[in-house]
Amino acid sequence: MANLPDEILIHILSFLTTKESVATSILSKRWIHLWHHVPNLIFPNITVNGIQSNYTFNEFLFSVLIALDTNFINTFHLHIHYSNPNLAYHLSFPNVTKWINLVVQRKLNHLHLHLDNGNFYKFLPKLPTSIFTCRTLVSLNLCWFRVKGFSFSVNGIQLPSLTFLRLVSIKFLQVNDFVLLLAGSPILEDLEASDIQFYDAKDYLTIQEYKNLSFPKLTRAHTSVFWCDFPARAFSNSESLSIDTTLYTNEELDDIYIFHNLTHLEIHDCWYTVLHVLHVCPKLQILKLCQAFNVAMSDGEDDQECWEEPEFVPQCLFSCLTTCIIQDFLGWKNELRLVEYILRNAQNLQTMTIKCESEPLKIERKYGPLETV
């Protein structure tokens, strides 16, 4: 490696954690300052058990930022587990804000922040608002934060380069704050949002504003445990969608929408919307029904009267659907009738996978074998 130019060595160091990169400075005089030019700052799986470990890590990270000899930071990855929520809230979280404010000034491209304080919502750290105006940010991955103290507006969010957004266990002040965050990311392609909560769950955007909301570049969206309604037409250009059906059953907001590009759909709830959704997915190839699907299917009751076969067969069953997966199958009559309906009408179906919660023999004894379709 002695014959390699500095640029190659720095590139190699960029694949290491920052702690490992700094440690290479003991190899020789040539290596002493190489890590100063590494554009990736990676601090994974940091554990803070007390005041001393908190102080040690804070000093180390500040020293790295001071020593860094580059105006460009490609990646800042920070994942810390705090054993003491009080210590984290009062002694560590303020420093996190300072670190973020420093790195976003250096044309940051990728930001990953995960501060684990033991699932104490009372001590959720406040998200540094400087993130929302980082025009160079390409990917943003956030876990366990509250978003308050920022004046959200259409012009306030400036994330023109953001293509990937992942939010887990984030609490916003209002629903429209989340909506405006998305609206400020005009070229967003990939969205993951899970356990999104709100201090005030009321909608303050008008129906027309909701209907005008769209993401022309969004091709993949995955949402779950989402505590508000969201217009399905916003995802109308998506190719892959994993979603709670509560997001697209608001008829007042979503009067007409067609998922023209959707080929992969995963539904986590509300069985009675499945066939309705299939009608607006003419090119769907892969359908997956999972998690709470079977619970919602009969609301805990085995009532065959709940099933109503639609008058018209969805277009995707005639022409496109090749794969159907049902997880946590309980063998309720409504589930069986849905399976039978898909098998009978999906003319190009190649694979039907059913993962049972109950033993197959018990299901057969209770209902008898599924009729030939």
Side-chain angles (χ1 to χ4, degrees), residues 114-131:
H114 185 170
L115 304 186
D116 182 1
N117 61 3
N119 295 347
F120 286 91
Y121 276 96
K122 178 182 177 181
F123 297 100
L124 278 179
K126 181 180 176 182
L127 187 67
T129 56
S130 57
I131 293 173

Side-chain angles (χ1 to χ4, degrees), residues 232-364:
R233 61 193 303 141
F235 304 113
S236 59
N237 292 312
S238 298
E239 297 174 3
S240 177
L241 191 59
S242 175
I243 200 167
D244 288 342
T245 53
T246 51
L247 296 183
Y248 50 75
T249 55
N250 192 324
E251 295 180 359
E252 184 179 15
L253 298 180
D254 294 316
D255 47 359
I256 300 175
Y257 59 93
I258 299 291
F259 296 100
H260 292 286
N261 301 319
L262 194 66
T263 60
H264 189 145
L265 174 64
E266 184 173 315
I267 296 179
H268 291 261
D269 207 350
C270 298
W271 76 277
Y272 49 83
T273 66
V274 172
L275 294 178
H276 169 69
V277 172
L278 293 184
H279 276 289
V280 295
C281 304
K283 297 181 181 179
L284 190 67
Q285 299 175 16
I286 300 174
L287 172 64
K288 185 175 182 180
L289 310 174
C290 58
Q291 291 185 5
F293 162 75
N294 51 26
V295 176
M297 192 164 192
S298 294
D299 293 327
E301 300 178 1
D302 184 28
D303 184 3
Q304 69 184 72
E305 299 301 324
C306 292
W307 170 260
E308 292 185 10
E309 188 164 312
E311 182 179 356
F312 302 103
V313 177
Q315 180 182 338
C316 65
L317 293 185
F318 278 129
S319 58
C320 299
L321 191 70
T322 61
T323 303
C324 180
I325 302 170
I326 299 179
Q327 290 190 176
D328 304 322
F329 187 80
L330 293 177
W332 287 338
K333 290 182 179 179
N334 282 323
E335 289 180 311
L336 291 168
R337 280 162 176 74
L338 177 61
V339 170
E340 181 182 355
Y341 181 84
I342 293 175
L343 289 173
R344 185 171 66 248
N345 292 286
Q347 299 183 9
N348 292 302
L349 188 67
Q350 299 175 11
T351 304
M352 168 69 83
T353 302
I354 301 176
K355 300 180 180 180
C356 298
E357 281 289 302
S358 302
E359 295 179 11
L361 284 178
K362 291 183 179 180
I363 295 176
E364 187 169 320

Side-chain angles (χ1 to χ4, degrees), residues 5-16 37-40:
D6 287 354
E7 291 76 12
I8 299 298
L9 295 178
I10 292 171
H11 181 69
I12 293 173
L13 290 179
S14 69
F15 292 96
L16 304 178
H37 303 277
V38 176
N40 295 339

Side-chain angles (χ1 to χ4, degrees), residues 69-102:
D69 189 15
T70 175
N71 293 323
F72 166 70
I73 296 179
N74 180 59
T75 300
F76 185 73
H77 180 117
L78 180 64
H79 185 171
I80 308 178
H81 172 74
Y82 297 98
S83 59
N84 186 327
N86 278 294
L87 181 148
Y89 190 80
H90 295 290
L91 296 182
S92 184
F93 293 166
N95 287 323
V96 172
T97 299
K98 295 177 182 178
W99 300 332
I100 299 305
N101 290 340
L102 288 173

